[in-house]
Amino acid sequence: MTGTRRTVAVLFLLPALVLLGALVVYPIGYSLIRSLYDQSGDQFAGVDNYRALFTDDGIRTALRNNVIWVVFAPTVATALGLVFAVLTERIRWGTAFKLVVFMPMAISMLAAGIIFRLVYDQDPDKGVANAVVVGVHDTFAESSAFPKAHPGRDSPLKAAGGGAFVTREPVRVGEPVALPLVGVAPERMPDDARAAAAPRPEPDKVTGTAWQDFTRGKGVGRLGEIDAGETGYAGMRIEAVKDGRVVATAKASADGTFTLPAVADGALLRLPADNFREPYNGLDWLGPTLVTPAVIGSYVWMWAGFAMVLIAAGLAAVPRELMEAARVDGANEWQVFRRITVPMLAPVLAVVVVTLMINVLKVFDLVFIIAPGSSQDDANVLALELYRKGFAADQPGVASAIAVLLLLLVIPVMWFNVRRLRREVRR
């Protein structure tokens, strides 16, 4: 009977063992053997391919980035999951919130990569991240509408240093001042700009016009004079400067006209550099500096929901009597969270962190999709470098060595997880 049961057990296990051998054991064994041969696979290379793991710049960058991933991605995702799990217990619509946070797990890595490639687009009109950054920035420091404006030929203006322009001669009350500029495409002019108007002289004030001294069409328009179709620089700021000190300021109206008080008599008019500041286009999320944190951010977006669900399940098993007793003894909510909730959730938090650590060691899709070609070397990770060495660079020996290195990196984490599970079973 015992022999029959053993035979039945083996028969039931056989399909799983065959699949395990074909899909796991054989690839590991073949990779280990292939890593000891040269690129052709004919000559024994010994440890030469493993030596490349420490001398190749691309592999060293990938290894460094993997360390960053292992340290930050699981930590941030688990911390957010813990916060979400605790907070959603206290709100009525917690289930709906959990559904929304967990929803990214239903999206493939490929789709998430495409989504975040758009989110991190440099153009604020396309990329959500830069739209937010630019919106916040412009709330406190509004960008100029005239970043390319500059004096044209025979202009009464000259460069004053630092991007500003100043009149060549002092201005006088009762004598209108012309401040012609060029360099701004008509379609780039502010929406509230109107046709430029000639200034009207006033006996006790300095008046003038700042306008776009350019009319499309060859030979059309007169230089230094306001022509039909030319537009005023609405919002242009003008300063009257005497002895290096600003004595009066004005802002051009929609038609470009402005008025300064009598104190501006004899001053030089200056157009400050703020008028010509380049528009703020946000951060270069996918540049060499920020590309790795940006990709990690997309990973956290996907996996924070996974951490939240597991932690919420563990939180449901925490005895509420302990928390209530602590509150009765005078503990505040932060002390209850730090002294009771987190220690009681330690086994669950360990499961989440270890699972995410194993997952990030193998991350490939997000880096491959999100990082552009110009920054892919800076965002490189071991799984991506394995792909590049094995398929793009045709170095299967080195690629196999990277695969073995990844296996060696995963084994300690899995060993820790197995030991922890055994301890849990004994309890």
Side-chain angles (χ1 to χ4, degrees):
M1 187 70 179
T2 303
T4 304
R5 287 182 176 179
R6 186 179 293 109
T7 303
V8 172
V10 169
L11 290 175
F12 273 104
L13 289 174
L14 188 60
L17 292 174
V18 170
L19 287 175
L20 185 67
L23 299 180
V24 178
V25 177
Y26 172 75
I28 291 175
Y30 180 80
S31 296
L32 181 59
I33 295 172
R34 186 64 183 84
S35 67
L36 301 174
Y37 284 81
D38 64 3
Q39 309 318 316
S40 65
D42 299 326
Q43 298 294 324
F44 184 75
V47 296
D48 289 348
N49 292 324
Y50 289 94
R51 191 177 292 114
L53 300 180
F54 304 98
T55 57
D56 186 279
D57 290 338
I59 298 176
R60 287 191 296 182
T61 300
L63 188 58
R64 182 196 65 205
N65 286 339
N66 265 103
V67 172
I68 295 173
W69 271 87
V70 168
V71 171
F72 289 101
T75 305
V76 176
T78 304
L80 283 177
L82 176 61
V83 171
F84 291 156
V86 172
L87 293 181
T88 49
E89 276 206 333
R90 299 174 175 271
I91 55 179
R92 287 184 298 178
W93 40 273
T95 302
F97 181 82
K98 288 179 182 177
L99 178 63
V100 172
V101 175
F102 187 75
M103 196 175 294
M105 286 296 298
I107 302 174
S108 69
M109 286 281 196
L110 175 63
I114 294 172
I115 290 170
F116 274 87
R117 184 67 180 267
L118 296 173
V119 167
Y120 292 132
D121 195 287
Q122 182 66 45
D123 187 352
D125 293 332
K126 298 178 182 177
V128 175
N130 268 340
V132 173
V133 171
V134 170
V136 173
H137 174 274
D138 288 353
T139 300
F140 300 98
E142 187 177 355
S143 297
S144 168
F146 320 110
K148 303 295 184 183
H150 61 274
R153 291 183 293 110
D154 303 325
S155 174
L157 292 165
K158 63 178 181 179
F165 301 104
V166 66
T167 55
R168 298 178 185 275
E169 302 293 337
V171 297
R172 298 296 177 187
V173 294
E175 298 178 7
V177 182
L179 301 178
L181 294 163
V182 296
V184 180
E187 60 271 14
R188 296 284 185 179
M189 293 295 286
D191 294 336
D192 58 344
R194 299 290 181 266
R200 295 181 180 179
E202 297 187 27
D204 57 346
K205 294 181 180 179
V206 174
T207 58
T209 300
W211 83 100
Q212 172 83 345
D213 187 24
F214 175 76
T215 305
R216 280 180 170 169
K218 188 176 181 180
V220 178
R222 295 158 294 175
L223 194 64
E225 298 183 22
I226 298 175
D227 298 302
E230 294 179 346
T231 309
Y233 279 119
M236 177 74 73
R237 193 158 64 91
I238 299 99
E239 298 175 341
V241 181
K242 282 185 180 179
D243 300 323
R245 185 168 57 90
V246 177
V247 296
T249 61
K251 183 175 285 189
S253 59
D255 58 7
T257 58
F258 61 89
T259 303
L260 290 162
V263 69
D265 184 54
L268 294 174
L269 298 191
R270 181 173 64 191
L271 304 181
D274 288 349
N275 289 316
F276 314 105
R277 183 177 55 241
E278 289 283 348
Y280 182 67
N281 289 319
L283 300 173
D284 188 9
W285 294 102
L286 300 182
T289 304
L290 294 177
V291 63
T292 294
V295 180
I296 290 176
S298 66
Y299 178 89
V300 170
W301 175 78
M302 289 192 68
W303 287 86
F306 167 82
M308 178 196 66
V309 170
L310 291 187
I311 295 170
L315 190 60
V318 174
R320 293 298 184 267
E321 295 82 2
L322 294 176
M323 298 181 184
E324 294 302 327
R327 294 187 181 102
V328 170
D329 289 341
N332 57 37
E333 291 302 321
W334 168 246
Q335 290 172 326
V336 171
F337 174 76
R338 187 163 61 93
R339 300 286 187 179
I340 296 177
T341 304
V342 173
M344 293 295 291
L345 288 174
V348 178
L349 295 176
V351 170
V352 174
V353 170
V354 170
T355 302
L356 294 181
M357 287 177 66
I358 295 172
N359 187 267
V360 299
L361 282 171
K362 303 179 294 181
V363 69
F364 167 80
D365 319 59
L366 290 176
V367 181
F368 183 72
I369 298 298
I370 296 176
S374 58
S375 299
Q376 207 165 81
D377 288 341
D378 301 282
N380 202 7
V381 290
L382 287 174
L384 177 60
E385 186 64 15
L386 187 157
Y387 167 81
R388 295 169 71 176
K389 284 287 191 288
F391 297 96
D394 194 22
Q395 298 180 24
V398 177
S400 298
I402 296 174
V404 174
L405 175 62
L406 272 173
L407 176 64
L408 294 176
L409 292 175
V410 170
I411 285 176
V413 182
M414 296 187 66
W415 176 76
F416 169 80
N417 202 29
V418 169
R419 285 196 61 186
R420 186 195 56 76
L421 289 173
R422 285 178 176 174
R423 285 198 302 269
E424 290 293 323
V425 171
R426 292 193 191 103
R427 292 176 186 174

